[in-house]
């Protein structure tokens, strides 16, 4: 469903309403909690609403039919002159289209475009133009203000006196703030504020030189609190959400609550730092009375805006108010839950699936039996422009015959779509070519392979990379030779990387020579991807190349090679892997120990016993696990010594390995693999440019 349709807007509006409404209910329930907690709730809600449009194309679809569907009209039939829209519908999840009779089409048109007006603009265009105009109006002040405030403060310089620098360093240390913060000079009587995403800054008025030490400390603590909490970033998210959902009142409410709660959260930081509530309230009043907010972007966080002052003063002077924010663990778990909820909500299809209706041009000339005894249907002034016909078998037709006819129609449709997309792969516009390639990859039909293989010679590198990835999705064995050529000779490293990934997906042993040759590629990421692909092939002929990769100059390539050799259970690689146990990089040594445990060769026992003394506790832990997997009695005494290791995980793994050696019952594998992700790069970036 396109966003730039009435239903697309409705879908996003309803989902954003659900998210923001739930955040409002939670924030009300936490009204006696800390401002930082409520700010977290609103931040996650705004981020979720902002992510919904992007996640719509990525999240898995699942249906929960809560809302009634509107009528849907889809037409499929023969059209002269190629593909063009021939029917209309209000956007809904695409129905399965059945063809009522088996015509012999010259070209197949699938209509999904809304009707165009006499002026040439359809509803989606008008709706998109209206939305874009609103978004630009909301975003323009942010951009203009950013430029103005940046130029102004660049001219006015900074506070460079030792007193300010010492105080700034002292407060930053007390807040455990690791980021460097600039202290800039603003206009006389301007409002203290924080701004900057990558290079944070605190801006103070010129007359701040006359402030008392207490006021300096209170103001700097408040503004550095914004920097520590990344409030500029959350406010940018709020402004982006306002621009995207400018038509949604709850988004503006959420942005307002974010402003309120972030200021109260920083007030709580000042009070927790030891400031008196009455004195701090007096500082705020004096700042609000004598200062004025300078021009700047909405994410330049002014300290004492008069519109927020009353509520803040009441909160500051309330002794029962909770001051401490959520813990890091609670914040992380809440954010993870919100991310999962956003993914599920983005994939939700709330529309009731409509009764499938279709019309074909063939139905206007053929009867229900497909012989042609019906007269052409001519639309009447009081009738729809397109007649609807339910695609149900006639009572006199055998069910098997109807199924065979349906299968033939699907094949005709598939062949026509593949042919049309294959033609689009040669379009003059590269974005069209890339989209056609992505669609061919999704079809998962072998007939798409020749067009995709031809696209590997496209002039545009991004098109070639997309074609390589699509061939991997297709798992087309016939494409191995073309992908091997791209891997060997393409000038762009990204294309070579995608070609290697695709060969790994196809998993044809005939790809081993090309992938082994790619282990000498000048680009480390290509070599890494080639090693990963060789491991995916599960072919013993890949072992020699992987052993050579254990000596690669790149750490991640060596890591990947060790893991792949373990997956192949390559006994001939034991000597090379034992040598890798002395690699300069701990991650490589850990992967080598893992691989030796997978191979389970007694020849590896002496080297693994030595690895129990490795400087890295993770290597020692993996070595203990591997010795337990091999089950050689020579490891008993070294593992008993490892029971006194300084690292708990190593001692636990040694105990488990000794249990394996002794052949005790119980849980055969309480800690099956101390390395939960032994594959350092299972899928680095298989799709360089997802379809739009």
């Amino acid at each position: 469903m396109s966003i730039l349709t009435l239903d697309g807007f409705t879908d996003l509006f309803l989902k954003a309403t659900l998210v923001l409404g739930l955040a409002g209910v939670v924030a009300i329930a936490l009204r006696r909690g800390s401002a930082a907690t409520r700010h977290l709730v609103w931040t996650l809600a705004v981020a979720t609403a902002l992510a919904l449009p992007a996640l719509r194309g990525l999240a898995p679809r699942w249906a929960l039919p809560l809302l009634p569907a509107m009528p849907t009209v889809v037409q499929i039939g023969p059209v002269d002159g190629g593909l063009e829209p021939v029917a209309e519908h209000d956007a809904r999840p695409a129905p399965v289209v059945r063809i009522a009779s088996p015509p012999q089409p010259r070209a197949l048109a699938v209509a999904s475009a809304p009707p165009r007006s006499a002026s040439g603009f359809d509803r989606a265009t008008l709706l998109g133009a209206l939305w874009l105009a609103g978004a630009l109006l909301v975003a323009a002040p942010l951009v203009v203000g950013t430029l103005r405030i940046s130029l102004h403060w660049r001219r006015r310089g900074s506070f460079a006196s030792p007193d300010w620098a010492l105080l700034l360093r002292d407060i930053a240390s007390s807040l455990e703030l690791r980021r460097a913060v600039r202290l800039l000079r603003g206009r006389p009587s301007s409002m203290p504020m924080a701004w900057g995403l990558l290079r944070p800054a605190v801006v103070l008025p010129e007359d701040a030189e006359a402030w008392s030490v207490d006021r300096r400390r209170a103001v700097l603590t408040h503004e550095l609190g914004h920097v520590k909490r990344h409030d500029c970033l959350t406010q940018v998210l709020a402004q982006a959400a306002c621009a995207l959902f400018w038509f949604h009142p709850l988004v503006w409410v959420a942005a307002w609550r974010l402003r309120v709660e972030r200021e109260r959260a920083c007030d709580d930081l000042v009070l927790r730092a030891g400031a008196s509530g009455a004195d701090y309230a007096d500082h705020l009043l004096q700042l609000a009375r004598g200062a004025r907010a300078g021009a700047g972007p909405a994410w330049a966080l002014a300290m004492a805006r008069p519109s927020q002052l009353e509520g803040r003063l009441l909160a500051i002077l309330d002794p029962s108010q909770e001051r401490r924010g959520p813990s890091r663990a609670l914040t992380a778990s809440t954010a993870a839950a919100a991310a999962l909820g956003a993914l599920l909500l983005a994939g939700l299809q709330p529309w009731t699936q409509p009764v499938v209706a279709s019309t074909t041009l063939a139905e206007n000339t053929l009867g229900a039996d497909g012989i042609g005894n019906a007269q052409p249907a001519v639309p009447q002034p009081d009738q729809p422009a397109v007649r609807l016909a339910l695609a149900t078998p006639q009572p006199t037709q055998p069910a098997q015959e109807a199924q065979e006819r349906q299968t033939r129609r699907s094949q005709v449709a598939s062949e026509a779509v593949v042919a049309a997309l294959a033609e689009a792969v040669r379009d003059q516009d590269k974005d069209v070519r890339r989209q056609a390639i992505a669609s061919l990859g999704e079809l998962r039909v072998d007939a798409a392979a020749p067009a995709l293989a031809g696209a590997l010679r496209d002039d545009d590198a991004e098109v070639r990379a997309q074609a390589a990835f699509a061939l991997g999705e297709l798992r087309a064995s016939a494409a191995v030779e073309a992908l091997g050529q791209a891997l060997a000779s393409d000038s762009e490293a990204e294309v070579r990387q995608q070609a290697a990934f695709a060969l790994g997906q196809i998993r044809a042993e005939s790809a081993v020579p090309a992938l082994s040759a790619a282990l000498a590629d000048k680009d480390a990421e290509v070599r890494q991807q080639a090693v990963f692909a060789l491991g995916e092939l599960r072919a013993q002929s890949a072992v020699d190349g992987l052993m050579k990769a254990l000596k690669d100059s790149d750490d991640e390539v060596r890591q990947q090679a060790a893991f792949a050799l373990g997956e192949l259970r390559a006994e001939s690689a034991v000597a090379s892997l034992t040598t890798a146990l002395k690699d300069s990089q701990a991650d490589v040594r850990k992967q080598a120990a893992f691989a030796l445990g997978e191979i389970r060769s007694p020849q590896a026992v002496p080297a693994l016993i030595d690895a129990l003394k490795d400087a890295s506790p993770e290597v020692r832990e993996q070595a203990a696990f591997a010795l337990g997997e091999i089950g050689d009695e020579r490891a008993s005494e070294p593992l008993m010594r490892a029971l006194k290791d300084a690292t708990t995980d190593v001692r636990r793994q040694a105990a488990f390995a000794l249990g394996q050696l002794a052949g005790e019952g119980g849980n055969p594998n309480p800690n099956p693999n101390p390395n939960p992700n032994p594959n350092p790069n299972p899928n680095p970036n298989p799709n360089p440019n997802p379809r739009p």
Side-chain angles (χ1 to χ4, degrees):
M1 182 192 304
S2 173
I3 296 177
L4 297 180
T5 63
L6 181 59
D7 284 349
F9 273 105
T10 303
D11 183 72
L12 284 179
F13 186 91
L14 291 177
K15 290 177 180 178
T17 300
L18 178 62
V19 170
L20 298 173
L22 180 61
V25 171
V26 173
I28 292 173
L30 295 173
R31 60 185 178 277
R32 299 307 302 173
S34 68
T37 302
R38 294 191 297 274
H39 187 271
L40 173 64
V41 171
W42 284 112
T43 298
L44 293 177
V46 167
T48 298
L50 195 59
L52 283 175
L55 291 176
R56 281 162 54 91
L58 302 175
R61 294 283 190 260
W62 62 285
L64 185 63
L66 299 174
L67 302 175
M70 296 178 66
T72 300
V73 180
V74 178
Q75 176 172 314
I76 291 186
V79 180
D80 292 327
L83 291 175
E84 59 180 86
V86 292
E88 67 178 57
H89 67 85
D90 289 329
R92 290 285 186 272
V96 178
V97 179
R98 300 191 181 98
I99 303 175
S101 59
Q104 301 298 322
R106 291 184 295 276
L108 192 66
V110 179
S112 60
R116 293 184 176 272
S117 65
S119 62
F121 289 96
D122 57 32
R123 286 179 298 177
T125 302
L126 294 174
L127 196 59
L130 178 62
W131 170 82
L132 183 60
L136 291 176
L137 285 175
V138 174
L142 178 68
V143 176
V144 174
T146 299
L147 293 175
R148 291 180 60 187
I149 204 168
S150 177
L151 293 174
H152 170 74
W153 289 330
R154 188 176 299 171
R155 290 195 302 265
R156 301 193 70 87
S158 61
F159 287 89
S161 68
D163 292 342
W164 282 108
L166 182 62
L167 184 60
L168 182 68
R169 186 164 56 250
D170 180 49
I171 296 173
S173 177
S174 67
L175 294 176
E176 298 182 352
L177 179 61
R178 301 289 183 261
R179 304 175 70 189
V181 181
R182 298 168 295 160
L183 196 58
L184 302 178
R185 189 182 300 271
R187 292 191 180 94
S189 300
S190 63
M191 190 73 72
M193 63 182 67
W195 86 297
L197 297 178
L198 301 179
R199 299 181 60 204
V202 172
V203 183
L204 301 177
E206 283 187 342
D207 51 12
E209 296 282 7
W211 288 353
S212 66
V213 174
D214 288 343
R215 178 172 295 183
R216 291 184 181 187
R217 180 172 290 275
V219 170
L220 282 181
T221 302
H222 180 99
E223 299 304 330
L224 290 178
H226 284 309
V227 177
K228 177 178 175 60
R229 290 165 33 83
H230 301 282
D231 283 339
C232 284
L233 176 60
T234 59
Q235 191 58 27
V236 167
L237 291 178
Q239 292 298 313
C242 288
L244 182 64
F245 291 96
W246 57 265
F247 51 88
H248 200 311
L250 279 185
V251 173
W252 294 95
V253 171
W256 165 61
R257 291 311 306 173
L258 273 174
R259 290 193 296 270
V260 171
E261 302 299 354
R262 76 165 184 244
E263 296 302 328
R264 293 185 180 181
C266 289
D267 292 341
D268 291 343
L269 275 177
V270 176
L271 297 177
R272 281 160 45 197
S276 163
D279 291 342
Y280 182 55
D282 182 64
H283 291 322
L284 286 181
L285 284 172
Q286 296 300 326
L287 288 171
R289 183 178 299 120
R292 57 185 177 84
W299 48 270
L301 311 180
M303 180 177 178
R305 297 185 187 273
S307 60
Q308 304 172 7
L309 203 56
E310 180 179 357
R312 290 174 62 187
L313 293 178
L314 291 174
I316 289 170
L317 298 174
D318 184 359
S320 65
Q321 184 70 41
E322 174 63 37
R323 306 292 181 192
R324 293 195 174 275
S327 65
R328 290 184 179 179
L330 179 60
T331 300
S333 59
T334 305
L340 178 60
L343 192 64
L344 292 175
L345 184 60
L348 171 63
Q349 297 295 320
W351 310 102
T352 303
Q353 186 73 13
V355 177
V356 176
S358 68
T359 181
T360 68
L361 297 185
E363 280 191 302
N364 291 333
T365 57
L366 299 179
D369 58 1
I371 298 175
N373 54 5
Q375 295 300 319
V378 179
Q380 300 301 320
D382 58 343
Q383 292 179 331
V386 179
R387 291 182 181 272
L388 303 182
L390 293 180
T392 55
Q394 298 298 322
T396 58
Q397 284 184 319
Q400 183 177 358
E401 180 184 350
Q403 182 63 38
E404 290 176 354
R405 290 173 59 187
Q406 181 64 33
T407 302
R408 287 197 301 271
R409 296 180 193 121
S410 299
Q411 291 173 348
V412 170
S414 177
E415 292 170 1
V417 170
V418 170
L421 289 172
E423 182 67 25
V425 170
R426 297 189 292 272
D427 193 275
Q428 62 182 358
D429 185 271
K430 70 173 185 178
D431 290 333
V432 175
R433 300 199 299 274
R434 289 170 60 197
Q435 182 60 67
I437 288 169
S439 298
L440 283 172
E442 288 186 354
L443 291 179
R444 304 290 200 279
V445 292
D446 292 341
L452 294 174
L456 290 174
R457 299 187 295 272
D458 195 275
D459 293 337
D460 185 80
E462 293 182 352
V463 173
R464 300 197 300 275
Q466 187 78 51
F469 173 71
L471 285 168
E473 282 191 315
L474 211 60
R475 288 172 170 75
S477 300
V480 169
E481 182 178 355
L483 287 167
Q485 291 176 356
L487 179 59
S489 60
D490 198 279
S491 59
E492 293 293 331
E494 185 178 5
V495 178
R496 301 196 301 276
Q497 184 183 358
Q498 292 303 328
F501 172 81
L503 289 171
Q505 293 294 97
I506 295 173
R507 299 186 181 180
E509 189 169 354
S510 58
V512 170
L515 289 168
S516 299
L519 297 178
D521 195 280
K522 62 182 179 182
D523 186 89
E525 291 187 359
V526 175
R527 300 198 302 275
Q528 183 184 357
Q529 195 64 60
V531 170
F532 170 74
L534 285 171
E536 289 289 283
L537 297 185
R538 302 291 194 272
Q540 290 300 316
S541 57
V543 171
D544 289 342
L546 291 172
M547 287 194 296
K548 292 179 182 178
L550 284 175
K551 301 177 182 179
D552 195 274
S553 59
D554 185 80
D555 304 341
E556 293 187 357
V557 174
R558 300 198 301 276
Q559 239 186 109
Q560 191 77 58
F563 172 73
L565 287 168
E567 290 290 282
L568 289 172
R569 308 288 198 278
E571 290 196 21
S572 60
V574 169
S576 298
L577 288 168
T578 54
T579 301
L581 284 176
K582 300 185 182 299
D583 194 276
S584 60
Q585 294 297 318
D587 285 337
V588 178
R589 301 196 300 273
K590 180 174 66 174
Q591 293 300 335
F594 164 81
L596 290 170
E598 293 292 288
I599 297 171
R600 302 185 184 182
S601 170
Q603 299 176 16
V605 171
L608 288 169
I609 290 175
D610 288 342
L612 289 175
K613 305 172 186 177
D614 196 276
S616 168
E618 291 184 350
V619 176
R620 300 197 300 273
E621 180 187 0
Q622 192 72 64
F625 171 77
L627 288 169
E629 290 289 285
I630 296 172
D632 193 296
E633 290 296 332
R634 290 176 291 173
S636 297
E637 290 188 11
L639 286 170
M640 285 189 286
R641 289 195 296 270
L643 290 175
K644 300 179 181 180
D645 194 277
T647 302
T648 303
D649 289 339
V650 177
R651 298 197 301 272
R652 184 173 65 246
Q653 199 63 50
F656 168 66
L658 285 169
Q660 285 184 301
L661 290 176
E664 295 179 353
N667 183 356
N669 200 358
N671 187 11
N673 185 1
N675 181 10
N677 186 17
N679 184 354
N681 190 9
N683 187 354
N685 185 14
N687 189 350
N689 192 353
R691 60 192 178 89

